[in-house]
């Protein structure tokens, strides 16, 4: 084996033992590729502006990663309770709008968000009745959010629940659209049929990109699903073991990644303690592990053994 092969072997081993190192290794490449894309973008900025779909959407909060969303199945919603613009729905819609839509549509709904300049066609100005494709009725906005507008930067927002989509539609209609037209009972029935609103909805879940990368490098899919379902189970559980887990972790996915990366800790509780404590703050666990009693460790150890 020549020295390069050896080095590669060592790096692989290193990454296996400590997945977060991958970022160290990849960082220079990411930097170079990132710079390349940036330079290319600047050189082509005029062309880019003419295109219908820009290759990159400048966002005011680029540094933020995707939030963690656990996979879930929402019960078939009682449609009549969602078609009425209650204060709760409108307020929820406002929060969602500012987080996911204002970058393009602007906080005032005029289609002048930070990213709008680079887009053709421009994001809809909700305060005008002109130019709508699916229209500002409840059913029209619901359709837009479910299917997107092809050929534009308006994509389908697949991971929003039906309740979230209704909340957004109510907020937009109530706050921005002048004399927003009402949906008819027939249009509501059509919507229930088209979007299967009478059935249970599955949300596949979403995890932050940086955690996804960490998971992708090892056993990929199976491990990813195992970690997500473990996380899901723990989050629903109120047993002492689950409470300890919630207390002593900063980054739950990273913590579960640490534990799923090796089987060594199944041999002894001491190994379990060592794995967690030796890399504290980088392995998803936090300093509160130092406050744990022997009994806490016992409980926590047998609890985690259930999952891996
Ligand atoms: C990346 C930019 C972008 C984001 C983010 C975005 N939109 Fe849009 N949106 C657009 C563009 C561009 C159009 C216009 C499409 C066209 O005219 O073909 C549009 C159009 C719309 C329309 C009008 C559809 C019609 O009937 O003409 C609605 C309603 C809408 N968006 C709602 C939302 C909501 C709600 C969100 C947040 C969940 C959102 N958009 C996020 C870019 C965006």
């Amino acid at each position: 084996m020549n020295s390069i092969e050896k080095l590669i072997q060592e790096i692989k081993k290193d990454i296996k033992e400590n997945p977060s190192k991958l970022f160290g290794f990849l960082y220079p490449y990411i930097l170079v590729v990132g710079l390349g894309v940036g330079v290319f973008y600047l050189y082509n900025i005029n062309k880019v502006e003419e295109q219908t779909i820009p290759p990159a959407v400048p966002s005011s909060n680029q540094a933020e990663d995707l939030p963690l969303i656990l996979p879930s199945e929402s019960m078939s919603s009682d449609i009549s309770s969602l078609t009425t613009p209650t204060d709760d729905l409108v307020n929820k819609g406002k929060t969602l709008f500012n987080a996911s839509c204002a970058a393009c549509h602007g906080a005032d709904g005029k289609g002048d968000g930070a990213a709008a300049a680079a887009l053709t066609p421009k994001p809809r100005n909700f305060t005008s009745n002109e130019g709508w494709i699916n229209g500002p009725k409840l059913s029209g906005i619901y359709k837009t959010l479910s299917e997107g507008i092809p050929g534009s930067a308006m994509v389908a927002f697949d991971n929003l629940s039906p309740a979230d989509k209704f909340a957004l539609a109510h907020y937009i209609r109530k706050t921005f659209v002048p004399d927003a037209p009402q949906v008819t009972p027939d249009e509501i029935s059509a919507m229930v049929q088209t979007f299967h609103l009478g059935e249970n909805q599955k949300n596949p879940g979403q995890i932050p990109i940086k955690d996804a990368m960490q998971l992708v490098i090892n056993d990929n899919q199976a491990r990813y699903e195992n970690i997500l379902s473990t996380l899901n189970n723990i989050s629903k559980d109120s047993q002492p073991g689950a409470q300890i887990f919630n207390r002593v972790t900063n980054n739950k996915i990273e913590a579960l990644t640490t534990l799923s990366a090796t089987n060594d800790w199944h041999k002894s509780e001491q190994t379990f303690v060592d794995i967690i404590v030796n890399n504290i703050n980088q392995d998803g666990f936090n300093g509160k592990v130092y406050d744990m009693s022997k009994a806490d460790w016992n409980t926590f150890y047998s609890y985690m053994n259930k999952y891996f």
Side-chain angles (χ1 to χ4, degrees):
M1 195 189 289
N2 68 30
S3 57
I4 293 189
E5 277 169 343
K6 238 192 214 149
L7 183 67
I8 292 177
Q9 286 288 322
E10 235 153 65
I11 291 180
K12 276 194 181 156
K13 184 162 162 265
D14 232 19
I15 292 179
K16 210 167 173 198
E17 282 165 7
N18 184 357
S20 60
K21 284 207 178 151
L22 180 72
F23 294 103
F25 293 121
L26 286 182
Y27 183 67
Y29 298 99
I30 293 172
L31 201 65
V32 169
V33 171
L35 273 176
V37 171
V39 169
F40 178 82
Y41 186 85
L42 285 180
Y43 269 110
N44 290 283
I45 194 131
N46 291 330
K47 276 191 221 149
V48 166
E49 278 188 354
E50 286 159 14
Q51 285 172 8
T52 344
I53 305 174
V57 176
S59 144
S60 50
N61 50 6
Q62 251 161 5
E64 277 173 28
D65 206 339
L66 301 172
L68 170 68
I69 301 171
L70 292 172
S72 60
E73 192 161 325
S74 41
M75 298 303 283
S76 77
S77 18
D78 177 6
I79 301 305
S80 60
S81 75
L82 293 176
T83 49
T84 323
T86 58
D87 285 352
D88 271 1
L89 280 173
V90 173
N91 287 337
K92 183 172 170 199
K94 179 175 186 179
T95 310
L96 287 166
F97 184 85
N98 286 330
S100 308
C101 324
C104 290
H105 289 281
D108 298 328
K110 294 198 177 125
D112 57 356
L119 300 179
T120 311
K122 295 279 173 244
R124 185 75 58 248
N125 173 0
F126 300 136
T127 65
S128 156
N129 279 319
E130 272 152 46
W132 290 73
I133 293 168
N134 293 323
K137 285 187 180 178
L138 214 46
S139 50
I141 298 183
Y142 197 94
K143 179 174 161 72
T144 298
L145 286 171
S146 304
E147 297 175 350
I149 306 272
S152 83
M154 183 63 210
V155 295
F157 282 77
D158 287 333
N159 56 35
L160 293 176
S161 67
D164 288 348
K165 291 179 190 169
F166 279 108
L168 277 161
H170 287 309
Y171 174 68
I172 290 173
R173 288 166 46 80
K174 188 160 183 202
T175 321
F176 308 127
V177 183
D179 302 321
Q182 292 300 330
V183 70
T184 65
D186 280 354
E187 281 164 332
I188 291 187
S189 324
M191 197 168 142
V192 168
Q193 272 216 317
T194 312
F195 299 109
H196 310 291
L197 289 174
E199 300 158 19
N200 286 359
Q201 305 278 326
K202 278 209 171 95
N203 164 11
Q206 157 189 303
I207 71 169
I209 291 165
K210 92 180 164 21
D211 295 321
M213 286 211 31
Q214 213 163 68
L215 296 169
V216 162
I217 54 171
N218 279 355
D219 304 340
N220 308 343
Q221 203 56 23
R223 191 156 157 229
Y224 161 75
E225 276 166 11
N226 185 25
I227 286 178
L228 271 191
S229 75
T230 303
L231 189 56
N232 203 8
N233 290 333
I234 296 181
S235 70
K236 284 191 214 137
D237 194 351
S238 58
Q239 285 182 40
Q243 288 172 16
I244 296 178
F245 178 83
N246 288 327
R247 192 170 70 232
V248 301
T249 47
N250 283 347
N251 182 330
K252 296 183 170 49
I253 288 194
E254 223 157 84
L256 294 174
T257 307
T258 303
L259 294 181
S260 79
T262 163
N263 286 322
D264 291 357
W265 57 271
H266 293 293
K267 284 182 236 146
S268 79
E269 189 175 320
Q270 189 53 47
T271 320
F272 178 70
V273 176
D274 289 344
I275 285 174
I276 292 175
V277 171
N278 287 346
N279 211 0
I280 200 88
N281 292 328
Q282 270 137 57
D283 59 5
F285 291 89
N286 64 37
K288 292 195 183 125
V289 294
Y290 296 117
D291 302 333
M292 284 168 71
S293 66
K294 180 74 188 136
D296 286 343
W297 277 111
N298 277 334
T299 310
F300 190 36
Y301 184 56
S302 43
Y303 185 72
M304 293 319 298
N305 257 312
K306 270 196 346 200
Y307 288 113
F308 292 101

